[in-house]
Amino acid sequence: MSSDIDRQIEQLKRCEPISETEVKELCLKAREILIEEGNVERVQAPITICGDIHGQFQDLMELFRTGGMCPDTNYLFMGDFVDRGHYSVETFLLLLLLKVRYPDRMTLIRGNHESRQITQVYGFYDECVRKYGSSSVWRYCCEEEVLCVHGGLSPSVQSVDQIVLIDRKQEVPHDGSMCDLLWSDPEDIKGWSISPRGAGYVFGADVCHKFVHDNNLELIARAHQLVMEGYKMQFDRRLVTVWSAPNYCYRCGNVASILSFDDSLEKTFKTFDAAPLDARKIPAKAVPLDYFL
């Protein structure tokens, strides 16, 4: 692995981008390293501390000529690697390669420009599309994710990390975060309101947008509500309801859908109708159950 990394480092030192496949593999390796680091990293002196780079690749190389190349010099970069300069792609990927090759000699902390919203405005997104022909590389670098949950959000949960801590090995409680995640629904309101279902809440676009932003998500995917068309995008396409039971309760007449993502998180919806009648087997003693949609 180190030989491939060394080759890519030398290639990027010449300001030559690596392939899209190599970018994807690099981001996966870097994530494995970075996810093990804490919010506060203790580094030992001697160390060289660096400020904003903003895609000025030639000046980054001048920085290395001034301070010494990694691993000869122990570096800490304090964020804002991308945007505004002409070579954000090469700048960020070189620093990421050095992090993967020398994890104990290269410390990278996040700046305000290392976010999806900012990079779509100030250049990194457009540069990725221009140099690679699609937004895939930008997506790999930004680590966008999709949160899948049955119902919706909870006023008791502000981060995905809090969901990890829920004790799910229990009967569903009547209230609280676990109940909310299973019962809540999106609605065209502002903030939160008590759910008419009798459990959970309804929440508006402002709640969804804040949760997506704070947790670096691309999308929240959920089920729980009948959608006649099979799926429904809401809240500026940040939330989708997917319903996969066609002709629900054998009488609603709806179509169903499934949602697929490719390696670049590009979405594809596929809709389908109920199985034909001649393919169904109806139990001899079907017991009707009262239930709300």
Side-chain angles (χ1 to χ4, degrees):
M1 182 190 80
S2 60
S3 61
D4 287 339
I5 296 293
D6 289 338
R7 175 186 57 78
Q8 293 170 26
I9 288 173
E10 292 305 314
Q11 182 174 332
L12 275 162
K13 282 182 181 178
R14 300 190 297 271
C15 202
E16 299 171 3
I18 58 178
S19 71
E20 181 177 322
T21 300
E22 290 171 328
V23 174
K24 182 179 180 181
E25 293 174 352
L26 170 63
C27 290
L28 290 174
K29 292 171 186 173
R31 183 176 181 179
E32 291 175 0
I33 295 171
L34 293 170
I35 204 169
E36 294 298 324
E37 296 184 347
N39 288 346
V40 176
E41 279 295 296
R42 298 186 181 277
V43 295
Q44 299 294 322
I47 188 165
T48 298
I49 297 174
C50 309
D52 295 25
I53 303 298
H54 281 301
Q56 297 179 202
F57 180 82
Q58 289 79 11
D59 297 316
L60 173 64
M61 298 310 295
E62 187 65 25
L63 181 155
F64 285 136
R65 283 189 285 270
T66 301
M69 193 62 190
C70 185
D72 297 329
T73 301
N74 188 13
Y75 278 105
L76 189 156
F77 283 82
M78 296 190 294
D80 280 10
F81 317 117
V82 301
D83 287 337
R84 295 200 171 99
H86 298 306
Y87 297 97
S88 290
V89 168
E90 293 82 357
T91 297
F92 181 62
L93 294 181
L94 177 57
L95 291 173
L96 212 56
L97 279 164
L98 292 171
K99 175 64 179 178
V100 170
R101 183 67 176 88
Y102 309 108
D104 298 326
R105 304 288 289 172
M106 175 65 71
T107 301
L108 303 176
I109 63 176
R110 185 178 182 178
N112 62 296
H113 276 261
E114 277 73 63
S115 79
R116 297 188 321 280
Q117 289 83 3
I118 298 297
T119 54
Q120 288 181 79
V121 175
Y122 290 100
F124 183 54
Y125 175 88
D126 292 333
E127 186 182 329
C128 289
V129 172
R130 186 172 67 254
K131 291 180 176 177
Y132 287 93
S134 74
S135 62
S136 297
V137 163
W138 175 79
R139 292 181 185 274
Y140 300 149
C141 294
C142 291
E143 294 186 343
E144 290 186 311
E145 296 179 347
V146 176
L147 173 67
C148 296
V149 62
H150 175 72
L153 300 177
S154 169
S156 303
V157 175
Q158 283 75 50
S159 73
V160 174
D161 290 339
Q162 288 178 274
I163 300 176
V164 175
L165 300 176
I166 294 174
D167 179 13
R168 60 186 173 83
K169 298 182 290 295
Q170 59 174 311
E171 186 62 35
V172 178
H174 296 294
D175 54 23
S177 56
M178 182 176 176
C179 173
D180 299 340
L181 294 172
L182 298 177
W183 282 94
S184 293
D185 297 301
E187 187 59 82
D188 292 328
I189 63 170
K190 184 176 181 179
W192 297 93
S193 182
I194 298 297
S195 173
R197 292 180 184 268
Y201 292 83
V202 292
F203 58 93
D206 55 335
V207 172
C208 175
H209 288 155
K210 178 171 173 39
F211 191 89
V212 165
H213 176 270
D214 291 348
N215 289 275
N216 198 31
L217 298 173
E218 164 73 10
L219 179 72
I220 296 172
R222 44 93 62 179
H224 194 45
Q225 274 181 306
L226 170 64
V227 180
M228 295 302 293
E229 298 81 11
Y231 67 92
K232 181 179 181 180
M233 299 292 297
Q234 292 177 263
F235 304 156
D236 300 321
R237 304 183 70 81
R238 290 300 190 182
L239 182 143
V240 61
T241 299
V242 179
W243 186 264
S244 300
N247 193 30
Y248 180 47
C249 291
Y250 311 112
R251 59 181 171 82
C252 287
N254 62 285
V255 299
S257 76
I258 54 176
L259 170 58
S260 300
F261 291 92
D262 64 14
D263 290 343
S264 303
L265 285 186
E266 293 295 331
K267 298 183 289 293
T268 302
F269 290 96
K270 296 179 182 178
T271 58
F272 60 97
D273 294 313
L277 290 176
D278 58 9
R280 297 185 179 279
K281 293 183 179 180
I282 301 176
K285 294 181 179 180
V287 180
L289 298 175
D290 291 330
Y291 189 68
F292 49 80
L293 302 179

